[in-house]
């Protein structure tokens, strides 16, 4: 498929859709994102195109992986450097309107209803910004024979970027969907995407979801015919 900086080639059998941290804690008021001073409504534009991509990926039989950033209730996996950083209105672990901020098992930590995982889809709970650090994502991808990742979610310059950089160093070919990743900062969205595709695709490829949807529709039709 066409992409920036050039064509992105993938085999659906060895490609996973990775949806990063589409949690209430980032996308809805009263969660971690808002405690950091952000306007969380800026992230909601990614939801409709990402719903279409998720449906198409499921129809085409792609492996679907969801990630969630968060910590154990006792905070044993939250380094002080993260816990004590900045001046949020509520710190990680403190009670907020959607439960304890960024804590596993709380309502706010879970994925938004619009993009809820189906039974059988992989959900990776991660303590950091990257999806490989402190998780078994690498082992799961290897076991499934996955070599390419189609990446979506939030936020572009934080958890999407960190995950794509981790994946690129591990040898995965990564396509980032420009309208299915979101940032609280419009300038970081633009520059974050440019940084991935610059220098001949230093971290990967970037394309709008419409191009992927066209490709997946063709593949799904071929699968139906054969
Ligand atoms: N603050 C911010 O932009 N992002 C995060 O803290 N985590 C993710 O990007 N998921």
């Amino acid at each position: 498929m066409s992409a920036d900086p050039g064509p992105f080639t993938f085999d659906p059998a060895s490609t996973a859709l990775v949806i990063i941290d589409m949690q209430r804690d980032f996308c809805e008021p009263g969660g971690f994102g808002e405690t950091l001073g952000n306007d969380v409504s800026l992230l909601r534009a990614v939801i409709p195109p990402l719903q279409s991509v998720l449906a198409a990926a499921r129809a085409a039989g792609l492996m679907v992986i969801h990630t969630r950033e968060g910590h154990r209730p006792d905070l044993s996996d939250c380094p002080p450097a993260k816990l004590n950083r900045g001046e949020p209105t509520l710190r990680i672990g403190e009670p907020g309107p959607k439960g304890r901020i960024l804590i596993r098992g709380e309502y706010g930590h879970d994925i938004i209803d619009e993009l809820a995982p189906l039974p059988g889809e992989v959900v990776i709970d991660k303590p950091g910004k990257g999806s490989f650090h402190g998780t078994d994502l690498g082992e799961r991808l290897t076991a499934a024979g996955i070599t390419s990742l189609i990446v979506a979610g939030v936020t572009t310059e934080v958890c999407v970027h960190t995950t794509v950089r981790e994946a690129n160093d591990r040898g995965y070919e990564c396509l980032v969907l420009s309208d299915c990743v979101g940032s609280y900062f419009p300038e970081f969205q633009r520059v974050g995407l440019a940084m991935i595709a610059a220098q001949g695709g230093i971290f990967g490829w970037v394309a709008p979801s419409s191009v992927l949807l066209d490709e997946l529709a063709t593949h799904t039709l071929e699968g139906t015919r054969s």
Side-chain angles (χ1 to χ4, degrees), residues 68-93:
R68 298 184 298 200
E69 180 181 349
H71 297 281
R72 297 190 192 125
D74 65 2
L75 296 177
S76 58
D77 58 353
C78 184
K82 181 175 183 181
L83 185 62
N84 299 325
R85 183 85 45 88
E87 295 187 2
T89 53
L90 292 171
R91 287 202 187 273
I92 295 168

Side-chain angles (χ1 to χ4, degrees), residues 21 26 32 36 69 129 154-155 158-159 184:
D21 300 358
F26 294 103
F32 181 61
L36 298 174
E69 180 181 349
K129 305 306 182 190
V154 297
T155 63
V158 182
C159 290
Y184 301 121

Side-chain angles (χ1 to χ4, degrees), residues 20-23 26 32-33 36 38 43 67-69 82 102 126 128-129 153-162 182-185 188:
I20 309 283
D21 300 358
M22 289 301 292
Q23 297 159 256
F26 294 103
F32 181 61
L36 298 174
N38 298 304
L43 300 189
T67 73
R68 298 184 298 200
E69 180 181 349
K82 181 175 183 181
L102 217 59
K126 62 188 184 66
K129 305 306 182 190
V154 297
T155 63
T156 307
E157 78 281 11
V158 182
C159 290
V160 171
H161 246 246
T162 307
S183 172
Y184 301 121
F185 303 87
F188 293 170

Side-chain angles (χ1 to χ4, degrees), residues 28 118 139:
E28 295 184 1
L118 288 180
E139 288 82 358

